[in-house]
Amino acid sequence: MPYTVDFKNVSTVGLESSPVAEALAGLRANEARYYKNKYGHDFTVTPAEEDPQTLEYINNILSSERNLVIASKPLEVSSFEVDGLRMAYVFYESGLSINVMYGLDEGGKRAVGFKLSDGMEVPEELASSFKFARQKSKLAGTIRGSYFVIKGEY
């Protein structure tokens, strides 16, 4: 069942099994606030098992572009279009969030972003390939993030 993320009253709904549920909820709320403020878009998530297409889309890009397979259990996904971008998100039990930004226009921006919830370790599958920059968030504490540019067509 879809859930519209409330960034004013942060909730761990759907994320309770994560050992960093509070931080992951803050990270999810941080994303919701960004899309609401920048685009007027309500950020809605769905349990991963209810939207296998979005999860497969993200997994396909990770595998094709960087031969990556994420070990953690996916909890929630989101997929939407806004301002010429197809966005897809997955939030994992470990506290990891992955987003795919895919510009629909020829030559548009296309990248995969990784964000780590406050308190989680860098996943083993990402540790050797990515450096993570830190940013502060009122909702999520310290977020560590990294990304790579998508080269293929999806």
Side-chain angles (χ1 to χ4, degrees), residues 57-77:
Y57 171 72
I58 294 169
N59 287 340
N60 180 42
I61 291 172
L62 293 173
S63 177
S64 299
E65 294 281 328
R66 293 294 179 101
N67 201 29
L68 281 172
V69 176
I70 304 301
S72 183
K73 177 183 175 185
L75 297 178
E76 294 181 330
V77 296

Side-chain angles (χ1 to χ4, degrees), residues 1-15 24-36 41-46 76-78 80 89 91 139:
M1 187 163 140
Y3 169 72
T4 300
V5 179
D6 182 351
F7 57 87
K8 293 182 179 153
N9 299 301
V10 179
S11 169
T12 59
V13 167
L15 308 174
L24 184 56
L27 179 58
R28 182 178 66 179
N30 188 64
E31 298 300 307
R33 179 178 60 196
Y34 172 79
Y35 286 102
K36 186 65 170 177
H41 173 79
D42 289 326
F43 192 81
T44 303
V45 293
T46 304
E76 294 181 330
V77 296
S78 182
F80 55 93
Y89 276 81
F91 295 92
L139 293 171

Side-chain angles (χ1 to χ4, degrees), residues 55-113:
L55 188 58
E56 179 54 36
Y57 171 72
I58 294 169
N59 287 340
N60 180 42
I61 291 172
L62 293 173
S63 177
S64 299
E65 294 281 328
R66 293 294 179 101
N67 201 29
L68 281 172
V69 176
I70 304 301
S72 183
K73 177 183 175 185
L75 297 178
E76 294 181 330
V77 296
S78 182
S79 182
F80 55 93
E81 285 184 22
V82 63
D83 200 33
L85 298 171
R86 178 177 182 200
M87 299 299 304
Y89 276 81
V90 61
F91 295 92
Y92 292 92
E93 192 170 51
S94 65
L96 173 66
S97 167
I98 297 179
N99 71 75
V100 173
M101 176 184 71
Y102 196 85
L104 299 173
D105 294 334
E106 190 67 35
K109 292 181 182 179
R110 296 175 177 170
V112 173

Side-chain angles (χ1 to χ4, degrees), residues 132-147:
F132 288 84
R134 296 179 186 275
Q135 72 180 58
K136 290 284 191 187
S137 164
K138 287 183 181 178
L139 293 171
T142 300
I143 300 171
R144 291 166 292 157
S146 191
Y147 75 97

